[in-house]
Amino acid sequence: GYAEALINRGICRADLGDHERALRDLAAGVKADPQNLVGRFQRGKLLVALGRKGEARADLERVAGAGGPLAAKAEELLR
């Protein structure tokens, strides 16, 4: 769907070092599908990498609280 496409493009842009555009894509993807934990995790992970852990906290806490395969990784980023 549309949200997944935006999130995937955001991941690709982050991998290429285009961090601000990656954040815009990830935010748009999460806005289109607020339940998308991959988008929330990827946005949180990127924000942590950019030294913006405070901004990442809400996304990572939501992913950690949902359980599933990304929960442990989100908890690790919150430490």
Side-chain angles (χ1 to χ4, degrees):
Y2 180 64
E4 291 81 10
L6 288 168
I7 290 164
N8 286 335
R9 185 172 71 178
I11 293 167
C12 291
R13 284 182 167 165
D15 288 345
L16 294 171
D18 190 357
H19 299 137
E20 289 309 313
R21 288 173 64 185
L23 285 173
R24 283 196 300 270
D25 282 344
L26 292 168
V30 169
K31 184 177 181 181
D33 180 4
Q35 304 306 315
N36 191 305
L37 297 178
V38 171
R40 288 184 176 279
F41 175 78
Q42 291 295 331
R43 181 170 63 178
K45 183 173 91 168
L46 179 55
L47 287 166
V48 168
L50 295 174
R52 296 162 59 180
K53 193 171 186 176
E55 294 175 63
R57 184 162 298 283
D59 280 334
L60 294 175
E61 285 176 349
R62 184 151 177 189
V63 173
L70 294 175
K73 291 179 182 181
E75 289 172 6
E76 184 177 319
L77 288 170
L78 285 166
R79 291 189 196 119

